[in-house]
Amino acid sequence: MVFHYPNGQPYSNNETKSTKNQAQQLKATTLFGNRGMTLEEELNHSNQYYRLHETAVIYKKPTPIQIVKVDYPARSQAVIKEAYFKQASTTDYNGVYQRRYLDFEAKETKNKTAFPFRNFHQHQIEHFRACLHQGGICFVIMKFVPLQRLFLYPATRLISRWDAQVNGARKSIPLSDVIENGFEIKYQLNPIIPYLDAVDLLLMQQNKGV
Amino acid sequence: MVFHYPNGQPYSNNETKSTKNQAQQLKATTLFGNRGMTLEEELNHSNQYYRLHETAVIYKKPTPIQIVKVDYPARSQAVIKEAYFKQASTTDYNGVYQRRYLDFEAKETKNKTAFPFRNFHQHQIEHFRACLHQGGICFVIMKFVPLQRLFLYPATRLISRWDAQVNGARKSIPLSDVIENGFEIKYQLNPIIPYLDAVDLLLMQQNKGV
């Protein structure tokens, strides 16, 4: 009789193999924060962890694509033969956590001292503004790649600095501002990016402010 | 001096032209509920109306696509040359309305007396279950095409009937049940599908229930 793990994998009592697999998995996970996975992949894994543990239901939205030509070969799946990438009108991630609507964008920079505004688009800022107006929880997950440091940076702060730079202020957010007004997220085993801990701190701060 | 309407159109005092345009617009709008627009298009228009009026921020998610081959012709945009449609793991629409997370699916049937369960997939039911667990507002917008009748049908009711049919009960939801447990939505001028009115009724019912 074959037993199956909840993930659908058959159970194997071959211990050597099993232990080896576990070691490989652990090694892979330890490296997550350093290389091998993009920030998007790390967040997808974290969201999957949060869904499995019924902590939150958050997904990355699919990339919007303009389809021009589709073939329907006999007896097989439709094949898209010509299509183009479209610019998204919203941010990349949204979902629900403890009755609240969460909406965020994930961005990386190779810069060590500041986060350049060229990483953002006007329509993303407007989307944040609209969601905040409806009472959504909005933020950016910022990664300073050379420093391997991650932050949750509130959209309210992002918007005020964005508006200032449109009016001539500095075209980037200094790391010191991110440290002061954001919430640092430390890579860990599972979820790799425990960003909901930072969301809890953001909500606490908002509740105090009200 | 040129005056502009709030929609950005310049004001024209050429009455003949203006009246003709308005008549054309009215005719087009009156037909919305009958033909010319798919349910998806009608909902996209309604969501755009709600966003413009700052009532809610709700979008249809892009269709998920598995990209296999991309060409990068010199000096021009990337062209997707081979891609396939993927099954979505979530429902089609989500967003934020009055601090609440909204999540829904839109479905049509040609049936006049019942809504067949074959219109739904197990993963959509599971997604609704997970979102409800987080306190999201979840529902289906059902259209009985031959009757030109639209309903908001609560996901809680959908799930209990789905679970019953998995255990052998009826494979469709009778129209009488949809009328009794859903909220009818009447087509109107703007927004074409005023489904947030039905959401208000759903929320009132839930608040009474608590």
Side-chain angles (χ1 to χ4, degrees):
Chain A
M1 188 172 173
V2 180
F3 290 93
H4 285 79
Y5 286 119
N7 66 4
Q9 291 286 29
Y11 168 74
S12 156
N13 58 1
N14 179 335
E15 281 216 22
T16 322
K17 193 184 158 201
S18 174
T19 312
K20 195 180 155 202
N21 279 351
Q22 277 171 19
Q24 278 176 345
Q25 272 176 19
L26 193 64
K27 195 177 160 200
T29 315
T30 312
L31 294 173
F32 280 168
N34 302 310
R35 53 184 169 149
M37 269 193 156
T38 62
L39 179 57
E40 180 182 324
E41 287 167 335
E42 290 167 351
L43 283 168
N44 288 347
H45 273 255
S46 304
N47 286 336
Q48 195 179 17
Y49 178 93
Y50 283 136
R51 288 196 303 270
L52 279 170
H53 290 77
E54 302 188 353
T55 315
V57 181
I58 296 154
Y59 283 92
K60 183 181 184 293
K61 291 180 205 168
T63 308
I65 284 169
Q66 180 70 48
I67 297 167
V68 175
K69 196 179 152 203
V70 183
D71 273 9
Y72 300 91
R75 287 166 179 271
S76 68
Q77 215 185 343
V79 188
I80 299 161
K81 288 298 212 179
E82 187 186 347
Y84 299 89
F85 294 101
K86 281 199 295 186
Q87 191 167 54
S89 38
T90 66
T91 46
D92 272 353
Y93 299 85
N94 76 355
V96 57
Y97 170 57
Q98 294 183 352
R99 300 176 73 86
R100 300 300 296 269
Y101 172 80
L102 251 58
D103 196 295
F104 63 98
E105 190 63 37
K107 301 273 190 193
E108 296 180 299
T109 182
K110 288 178 181 163
N111 204 303
K112 290 177 192 175
T113 55
F115 210 94
F117 276 117
R118 64 168 176 270
N119 283 295
F120 297 96
H121 301 287
Q122 185 71 43
H123 69 266
Q124 292 171 329
I125 303 292
E126 297 318 322
H127 177 72
F128 274 147
R129 233 190 278 267
C131 289
L132 284 168
H133 183 71
Q134 291 299 325
I137 311 297
C138 306
F139 52 90
V140 179
I141 293 181
M142 284 182 183
K143 182 173 180 177
F144 290 82
V145 178
L147 310 176
Q148 282 294 310
R149 291 182 77 177
L150 268 178
F151 297 88
L152 178 154
Y153 190 73
T156 46
R157 181 83 188 165
L158 178 76
I159 290 169
S160 64
R161 287 200 74 111
W162 175 275
D163 291 345
Q165 67 99 26
V166 168
N167 294 317
R170 191 181 159 148
K171 300 292 175 204
S172 65
I173 307 167
L175 176 61
S176 59
D177 182 277
V178 176
I179 291 171
E180 194 182 332
N181 296 290
F183 301 91
E184 186 154 10
I185 306 164
K186 299 281 187 188
Y187 278 104
Q188 63 175 41
L189 209 61
N190 244 329
I192 305 159
I193 299 180
Y195 68 92
L196 290 180
D197 296 349
V199 169
D200 289 339
L201 295 175
L202 177 66
L203 286 170
M204 272 172 61
Q205 194 188 60
Q206 284 186 352
N207 291 338
K208 265 188 209 163
V210 170
Chain B
M1 188 171 175
V2 179
F3 291 93
H4 285 79
Y5 286 118
N7 67 4
Q9 291 286 34
Y11 167 76
S12 157
N13 58 3
N14 178 335
E15 281 217 23
T16 323
K17 192 184 159 201
S18 174
T19 314
K20 196 182 158 202
N21 279 351
Q22 277 171 18
Q24 278 175 346
Q25 271 175 21
L26 193 64
K27 195 178 162 198
T29 315
T30 313
L31 293 175
F32 280 167
N34 301 312
R35 53 182 168 148
M37 269 191 159
T38 62
L39 179 59
E40 180 182 323
E41 287 168 335
E42 291 168 350
L43 283 168
N44 287 347
H45 273 256
S46 305
N47 286 335
Q48 194 179 17
Y49 178 93
Y50 283 136
R51 287 196 304 272
L52 278 171
H53 290 77
E54 301 187 354
T55 315
V57 181
I58 296 154
Y59 283 92
K60 181 179 185 294
K61 291 180 203 168
T63 308
I65 285 168
Q66 179 72 48
I67 296 167
V68 175
K69 196 179 151 203
V70 183
D71 273 9
Y72 299 92
R75 288 166 178 271
S76 68
Q77 214 187 342
V79 188
I80 299 161
K81 288 299 211 178
E82 187 186 348
Y84 299 88
F85 294 101
K86 280 200 294 185
Q87 192 168 53
S89 38
T90 66
T91 45
D92 272 354
Y93 299 85
N94 75 356
V96 57
Y97 170 57
Q98 294 183 352
R99 300 176 74 85
R100 301 299 297 269
Y101 173 80
L102 252 58
D103 196 295
F104 63 98
E105 190 64 37
K107 301 273 189 192
E108 297 180 299
T109 183
K110 289 178 180 164
N111 203 303
K112 289 177 193 175
T113 54
F115 209 92
F117 275 118
R118 64 168 178 270
N119 283 294
F120 297 95
H121 301 286
Q122 184 71 44
H123 69 267
Q124 293 171 328
I125 304 291
E126 297 317 321
H127 177 72
F128 274 146
R129 234 191 277 269
C131 290
L132 285 168
H133 182 71
Q134 290 299 326
I137 311 297
C138 305
F139 53 88
V140 178
I141 292 181
M142 283 181 182
K143 182 173 180 177
F144 290 83
V145 179
L147 310 176
Q148 283 294 310
R149 290 182 79 176
L150 267 179
F151 297 88
L152 179 153
Y153 190 73
T156 45
R157 180 84 187 165
L158 177 76
I159 290 169
S160 64
R161 286 201 75 110
W162 173 275
D163 290 346
Q165 65 100 25
V166 168
N167 295 317
R170 192 179 158 148
K171 301 291 176 204
S172 65
I173 307 167
L175 177 60
S176 60
D177 181 276
V178 177
I179 291 171
E180 194 181 332
N181 295 289
F183 301 92
E184 187 153 9
I185 307 165
K186 299 279 187 189
Y187 278 104
Q188 64 174 41
L189 209 61
N190 244 329
I192 306 159
I193 299 182
Y195 68 93
L196 289 180
D197 296 348
V199 169
D200 290 339
L201 296 175
L202 177 66
L203 286 170
M204 272 171 59
Q205 194 188 58
Q206 284 185 354
N207 291 339
K208 264 188 211 164
V210 170

